[in-house]
Amino acid sequence: MKINRWLIFSLVIAFIILLGPFLVIFFASFEPSSTLRFPPTGFTLSWFKKVIAMPMFQKSFVFSLQLALYSSFLSLLLGVPVAYVTARYDFKGKRLVEFATTLPVIIPGMVAGLALLRFFVLLNVFSVQTTLLIGHTAIVLPYVVRSTLASLVNLPVSVEEAAQSLGASPLKSFFLVVLPNIRVGIISAFIMTFITSFNNVPISLFLTGPGVNTLPIVMMTYMEYYYNPSIAALSTLLIGATLAVVLLVQKIFGISKLL
Amino acid sequence: MAFLEIMDLSVAYQRNVTVLRNLNLAVERGSFLSLLGPSGCGKTTTLKTLAGFLSPISGRIIVNGRDYTKIPAHKRNMGIVFQNYALFPHLNVFENIAFGLKMRHMSKSEIEEKVKKSIDLVGLSGLEHRLPSQLSGGQQQRVGIARAIVIEPDLLLMDEPLSNLDANLRTEMRNEIRRIQQSLGITTVYVTHDQSEAVALSDQIAVMNFGKIVQLGTPRDVFSNPKTRFVANFMGFQEVAAGYVEGLQDGYAVIKMEGRSLTARTTTKLAIGEKVILCARAKKMQIDTQNGENRFWVKVVSKIFQGDSISIVLKVPSGRTINVEIETSKLENFAQGDEVFLYIPKEHLLAIKEEEK
């Protein structure tokens, strides 16, 4: 079949707006002069060295990493059982649970951030770190529930019944039969939650406090004062790291269509 | 006491929806019982309750003298074969079959020996390392059967194991199931809606409707002597006429219908004057141009040539249409729209109480 020229045109436009901005940032990070510029006027790695050596970035990077890891694990710990119960049992308020797990996806991040802030101010018991952890867990939880639910739907209840009839307790049958078969959903949920938490701005914006900052917030603040290629270099590093993680997971688990 | 005893078992899904009502059933050791009935009759509920996936609101389940009613599914030692096979997708054939033995903490050599034996029994040698997704439907069900019998269960429960297979395979697997069950002598409860499966496999058939057993008997008995209108319909009888009992003698009744008297076999006790329906199978009716005993007038609606036989649709005096199958060679000359006589030999004509359906 002959491809219509409009189809080619839309393909090209899609490519440009998808990849173009990242390419600009990528090239700008090697710019020797101290303003963001495209096309670059030369080549240097000095911005990378500078950014890596800056304590504010180091500190917030480690914190963001920890926050993303902990909130992802916490959301798995909460979300997988919620998904399991929703998929396997009928109970009153099931629709409400389903609705609640879609809320953070539908509601604008700023609104969610404000709501969480008011909520924690009212409670007034948690440290900034705990507040951030709970806030991030709340916004990534829906990804876990939905992704796990989608995998559970493909695993008939009779498979669990079979395991139990063969002598596996309900708990054993969950770990020996259910978990291995929803692995793909859980891993993809983990990647989604990790990236979502690590990149989150609106929630963190409201919940960060003195001395506790996530990397995206520190980057935003930095950009307000210094508009030089160091931010581009940092962005390039982040994009590279994210791609590396996704590729690594795909390689290890052999899952091609994870996300 | 029989090997399996179900006593006054009642099961409800929600508080108001009772699916089983005071079910009583006994199955002897090594025997094959089919629960036969239309969807929603409670047969699968009975099986799930036996397996321990549903708990009864009242009643007891006794297996080999032991009360199983409150024992959880994983401690019951029952092998289950599912309609959708329910194999573990992430485990290969060997691991699927070995699962139950591993749960019983058997040694590696013992597991290997038992799995190999059951793989041979169901005819799956050479496929040990395939995943379920790499097997055909028939092969998957063989794995399902092997996995259920390898644990040497007290009871083998089968939930419509053949209904996902195509017609040719179904007959083959049906014979396989009978062979395997007989060679191992496992007490089996088999759920199906297919009367030919139940008849071919079972020692006993329990026909169920609305959460109750409506008739229990040997396949021969249930097949030829249905006691109620529902069982007759379900076992392939057609209602050809209705009338009143005029006389009774030696298992036969004289039935008066629209100015005629017909002689029909009885399967239950009938009383003089009782209203009955008359039932017969398509292949046991004949067509005649002459009037005579046990004949009544019908109109030919259509004729379809089927090779060995001819399928004829007839309109009986009550206005209802019935289907008759006669051998091609016996074909008399008559055409669509003709009025002929339907002859049903008295041993093939059943008189059944009209009351419930």
Side-chain angles (χ1 to χ4, degrees):
Chain A
M1 199 178 80
K2 210 172 149 234
I3 295 183
N4 187 299
R5 73 169 77 161
W6 286 106
L7 292 178
I8 297 174
F9 179 71
S10 47
L11 263 180
V12 171
I13 293 293
F15 255 114
I16 291 173
I17 61 168
L18 283 174
L19 290 179
F22 295 107
L23 288 177
V24 170
I25 286 290
F26 177 76
F27 287 116
S29 53
F30 301 101
E31 167 66 36
S33 74
S34 65
T35 45
L36 277 172
R37 206 181 276 209
F38 186 84
T41 56
F43 180 84
T44 176
L45 289 176
S46 61
W47 296 112
F48 287 91
K49 286 178 198 150
K50 192 183 165 201
V51 154
I52 290 171
M54 279 170 84
M56 62 189 289
F57 286 138
Q58 284 177 352
K59 207 180 139 207
S60 60
F61 173 74
V62 172
F63 181 70
S64 277
L65 212 58
Q66 287 172 329
L67 183 61
L69 264 179
Y70 288 142
S71 62
S72 298
F73 271 118
L74 204 58
S75 66
L76 282 182
L77 233 49
L78 267 171
V80 174
V82 167
Y84 184 78
V85 170
T86 321
R88 291 293 191 250
Y89 298 96
D90 263 322
F91 54 91
K92 272 186 187 163
K94 180 170 159 172
R95 297 295 296 272
L96 191 68
V97 172
E98 284 171 341
F99 174 66
T101 55
T102 60
L103 262 190
V105 182
I106 305 165
I107 288 182
M110 296 300 276
V111 178
L114 180 65
L116 282 163
L117 178 67
R118 291 303 309 158
F119 181 68
F120 287 117
V121 166
L122 276 175
L123 285 179
N124 196 25
V125 280
F126 298 120
S127 67
V128 176
Q129 284 92 336
T130 317
T131 307
L132 270 169
L133 178 60
I134 298 174
H136 276 221
T137 306
I139 54 143
V140 298
L141 192 58
Y143 297 107
V144 177
V145 176
R146 291 163 146 231
S147 177
T148 312
L149 261 179
S151 312
L152 275 171
V153 167
N154 292 322
L155 187 72
V157 185
S158 56
V159 173
E160 286 171 66
E161 291 178 341
Q164 291 181 27
S165 75
L166 292 167
S169 66
L171 201 67
K172 255 189 185 166
S173 98
F174 181 81
F175 282 104
L176 292 177
V177 172
V178 179
L179 216 49
N181 286 301
I182 59 171
R183 206 191 59 189
V184 173
I186 289 180
I187 294 166
S188 74
F190 185 82
I191 295 175
M192 279 302 292
T193 55
F194 185 89
I195 292 173
T196 308
S197 162
F198 190 84
N199 292 336
N200 183 274
V201 171
I203 305 290
S204 305
L205 201 58
F206 281 98
L207 301 183
T208 44
V212 184
N213 265 316
T214 64
L215 185 57
I217 301 295
V218 172
M219 283 172 73
M220 257 178 58
T221 320
Y222 183 83
M223 262 187 282
E224 282 171 26
Y225 296 100
Y226 312 96
Y227 197 65
N228 64 29
S230 58
I231 279 296
L234 186 55
S235 305
T236 302
L237 283 176
L238 286 179
I239 294 168
T242 311
L243 282 180
V245 168
V246 172
L247 288 176
L248 196 71
V249 171
Q250 281 189 358
K251 191 124 195 150
I252 293 172
F253 296 101
I255 303 149
S256 54
K257 281 177 183 152
L258 258 183
L259 300 176
Chain B
M1 193 184 244
F3 184 75
L4 166 67
E5 293 261 0
I6 299 176
M7 296 163 154
D8 282 325
L9 196 72
S10 294
V11 179
Y13 278 118
Q14 282 134 36
R15 229 157 285 154
N16 305 319
V17 192
T18 313
V19 194
L20 289 185
R21 289 189 180 83
N22 300 317
L23 193 86
N24 283 287
L25 200 55
V27 185
E28 294 301 332
R29 186 189 289 270
S31 143
F32 193 118
L33 171 95
S34 285
L35 301 174
L36 174 66
S39 59
C41 73
K43 55 190 195 300
T44 298
T45 304
T46 309
L47 199 82
K48 287 196 163 193
T49 313
L50 279 175
F53 302 139
L54 291 173
S55 14
I57 47 173
S58 64
R60 291 203 296 161
I61 296 165
I62 312 272
V63 179
N64 206 4
R66 191 172 159 213
D67 191 338
Y68 266 49
T69 320
K70 295 229 159 68
I71 293 178
H74 65 280
K75 289 182 181 158
R76 287 197 182 195
N77 198 35
M78 292 185 183
I80 305 176
V81 179
F82 295 86
Q83 181 176 357
N84 64 356
Y85 323 129
L87 301 181
F88 307 129
H90 64 300
L91 301 179
N92 67 26
V93 170
F94 183 94
E95 293 161 334
N96 259 282
I97 301 174
F99 188 91
L101 302 176
K102 277 191 185 147
M103 290 300 113
R104 283 159 177 73
H105 306 293
M106 287 189 183
S107 72
K108 216 173 173 185
S109 58
E110 210 174 345
I111 290 177
E112 241 163 65
E113 189 197 314
K114 286 187 184 233
V115 171
K116 198 190 167 304
K117 231 162 112 187
S118 67
I119 281 180
D120 287 344
L121 185 67
V122 298
L124 280 174
S125 308
L127 301 176
E128 288 86 347
H129 300 295
R130 295 263 186 98
L131 285 173
S133 56
Q134 298 165 318
L135 298 176
S136 72
Q139 290 169 332
Q140 289 187 50
Q141 199 51 293
R142 284 168 194 267
V143 179
I145 293 169
R147 185 179 68 174
I149 57 173
V150 76
I151 60 170
E152 293 165 25
D154 294 329
L155 264 185
L156 181 62
L157 307 176
M158 301 182 122
D159 187 11
E160 309 222 17
L162 304 182
S163 48
N164 279 7
L165 303 176
D166 60 54
N168 294 330
L169 208 56
R170 219 175 288 167
T171 320
E172 185 192 321
M173 282 300 288
R174 193 175 79 189
N175 299 337
E176 282 285 283
I177 288 176
R178 188 64 176 152
R179 176 182 68 81
I180 292 165
Q181 190 267 339
Q182 290 197 325
S183 72
L184 298 175
I186 303 182
T187 315
T188 304
V189 178
Y190 186 99
V191 161
T192 181
H193 64 267
D194 182 334
Q195 50 117 337
S196 65
E197 253 173 51
V199 167
L201 284 167
S202 320
D203 297 313
Q204 291 265 301
I205 295 177
V207 186
M208 293 184 71
N209 196 26
F210 295 121
K212 288 193 159 185
I213 293 174
V214 285
Q215 189 168 349
L216 176 71
T218 62
R220 199 171 286 267
D221 188 38
V222 175
F223 189 76
S224 20
N225 306 319
K227 289 190 162 66
T228 68
R229 192 177 189 172
F230 168 79
V231 179
N233 280 322
F234 204 78
M235 298 308 291
F237 283 85
Q238 300 178 78
E239 294 177 20
V240 296
Y244 294 91
V245 180
E246 207 176 38
L248 289 162
Q249 200 189 9
D250 299 336
Y252 286 92
V254 179
I255 309 298
K256 196 176 158 88
M257 65 164 278
E258 287 162 36
R260 284 192 159 267
S261 285
L262 299 175
T263 311
R265 200 155 58 84
T266 60
T267 54
T268 53
K269 267 210 156 68
L270 296 175
I272 303 275
E274 201 160 9
K275 210 173 173 197
V276 293
I277 50 151
L278 294 173
C279 299
R281 287 182 188 281
K283 286 182 180 164
K284 301 295 184 189
M285 295 185 263
Q286 292 159 33
I287 285 172
D288 206 336
T289 47
Q290 306 286 314
N291 201 345
E293 195 195 334
N294 259 25
R295 288 165 173 79
F296 60 90
W297 152 126
V298 291
K299 195 170 181 179
V300 179
V301 177
S302 67
K303 251 171 37 171
I304 297 165
F305 178 65
Q306 296 186 142
D308 283 346
S309 65
I310 290 187
S311 168
I312 304 157
V313 178
L314 299 172
K315 197 169 198 168
V316 295
S318 67
R320 171 195 285 271
T321 56
I322 61 162
N323 186 46
V324 172
E325 227 178 286
I326 59 173
E327 275 180 44
T328 310
S329 57
K330 282 189 185 164
L331 185 59
E332 304 269 351
N333 243 342
F334 56 83
Q336 200 170 316
D338 280 1
E339 290 185 354
V340 291
F341 289 94
L342 182 67
Y343 167 54
I344 308 167
K346 62 176 185 180
E347 60 275 20
H348 295 307
L349 187 62
L350 296 187
I352 291 169
K353 271 184 212 177
E354 197 183 29
E355 35 173 355
E356 27 100 55
K357 181 149 188 164

